[in-house]
Amino acid sequence: MLLALGQATGELAYRLARKHTRVALANLKSAFGDALSPGERQRIVRACWRHYGRITADAAAFHRLSPEDIGTRIRHEGLDQLRTAHAEGKGVLLISGHFGHWELTAYMQGFLGCPLLMITKPMDNPRVERMLATLRSGSGNEVVAKVDAVRASLKALARGIGVAVMIDQDARGSGIFVPFFGRPSSTIPTVGTMHLRTGAAVVATFSFPEDDGGWRITYQRLTFPGLTGIRDEDVYRITCETTALLEARIRERPELWLWMHRRWKTPPPQPNTTVSPTDIT
C-alpha cells in the first residue's frame, strides 16, 4: 500500500509540480543533448517522480527493517570492500548521491555494523526535523547538523566510523568546479580534503531496485594512485574522479537520480577568477 501510494503521489507531483518538472527536463536536455528525444526526456522525468514518491513512502516503513532483511529483501554487493575499509581504523568516507534509495542505504549501515555519521540540513519545521532524525538514527547511525559538519566528521573518522558524503548537489560558493555531464559544476571538495587530511578510506555506494521489490546495494573501494602531493591538484583530481563515477551510474539508470535539483545553479567563475580548495575547509 505504501509503495502504491508513493508512486501515485509521484505521478501527481509530475503533473502538478510544474516548476520542478521543467527543471528536470532542462537538466536532462543539458546533460544528454539530442541523444534523448523530447519524449524520452518526458518518460525519464515521469519515472523519476514515481521513483521519488516510492522511496519517500517506503521510508515510513523503516522501523520494520532489521538485520534479518540483509540478504533477503536487501542484498549487498562488494560488502567485503566496505568491511576491509572499516577494519583499517581510519574511518570511511562513504560517498553517494541522491540516486536510488539513498536513505535506505544509509539506514542499513547501522545493521551492517558499519554505522554512519549523517550530515543533514535541518528542516524549517522542528517537529519534522525530530521525526527525520529519529528515523535516520534508528539502526545506530548518528545525525549532525550541517553547521557542525567539519568538526563532527573529523571526530567520527578519528573514532574509525563512517561519514556519509553526498557529492551530487550544487555547492554554491563553497565548491570547486569539475566536469559533470560535460559542464563545469560547483562540487564540494570534502572527499578530497578529508581523505588527504585523515587517510580515511573512500568507498562509493549506490542502490538499485530489483524486480521482486527488493534492493541491491553496491560498494566500491576507491583509491587514487599517483597523487602529486600538491594539495589543490590532488583534491581536484579526487573530486573529478568521484564525480565521474557518479555520472557513470546516472547514465546507466537516469530515472533513479533526482533531476529536479538545480545542479548547475552556480555559474563557473570568470576567466581571471579562481577558487582554491585550500579556502574551503
Side-chain angles (χ1 to χ4, degrees), residues 93 119 146-154 157 171 173-176 187-198 231-232 234-236 239 275-281:
L93 295 162
I119 301 164
K146 189 175 181 180
V147 67
D148 300 317
V150 174
R151 180 179 300 178
S153 296
L154 290 172
L157 294 174
S174 62
I176 59 176
T187 306
I188 59 169
T190 305
V191 179
T193 56
M194 289 289 186
H195 173 67
L196 295 176
R197 183 171 179 176
T198 68
R231 185 174 180 273
D232 288 4
D234 291 342
V235 168
Y236 180 78
T239 308
V275 179
S276 168
T278 306
D279 302 324
I280 307 172
T281 57

Side-chain angles (χ1 to χ4, degrees), residues 213-232:
W215 287 86
R216 174 172 58 92
I217 300 174
T218 67
Y219 295 98
Q220 179 182 351
R221 173 74 179 270
L222 305 180
T223 58
F224 311 97
L227 293 175
T228 65
I230 302 173
R231 185 174 180 273
D232 288 4

Side-chain angles (χ1 to χ4, degrees), residues 75-146:
R75 296 172 283 276
H76 294 86
E77 294 180 0
L79 192 54
D80 57 327
Q81 298 186 45
L82 175 68
R83 295 197 185 284
T84 299
H86 269 275
E88 293 174 2
K90 295 183 179 180
V92 174
L93 295 162
L94 192 71
I95 67 168
S96 192
H98 294 83
F99 178 93
H101 204 339
W102 61 90
E103 292 281 4
L104 174 68
T105 300
Y107 188 83
M108 296 306 295
Q109 287 287 133
F111 291 145
L112 290 171
C114 303
L116 285 174
L117 176 72
M118 300 179 66
I119 301 164
T120 63
K121 181 179 179 180
M123 304 289 289
D124 293 334
N125 187 318
R127 181 176 297 179
V128 175
E129 175 60 25
R130 287 194 297 270
M131 181 186 70
L132 287 174
T134 300
L135 177 71
R136 288 166 169 160
S137 60
S139 67
N141 292 328
E142 302 173 18
V143 179
V144 65
K146 189 175 181 180

Side-chain angles (χ1 to χ4, degrees), residues 162-201:
V163 174
V165 185
M166 305 294 273
I167 64 172
D168 63 337
Q169 291 193 306
D170 183 89
R172 299 184 182 180
S174 62
I176 59 176
F177 285 84
V178 301
F180 184 57
F181 283 95
R183 294 182 61 182
S185 308
S186 180
T187 306
I188 59 169
T190 305
V191 179
T193 56
M194 289 289 186
H195 173 67
L196 295 176
R197 183 171 179 176
T198 68

Side-chain angles (χ1 to χ4, degrees), residues 236-256:
Y236 180 78
R237 176 189 156 185
I238 292 169
T239 308
C240 283
E241 292 186 11
T242 52
T243 301
L245 176 61
L246 171 67
E247 179 182 328
R249 295 295 174 268
I250 295 171
R251 287 183 178 276
E252 292 171 5
R253 296 290 301 274
E255 76 280 6
L256 299 182

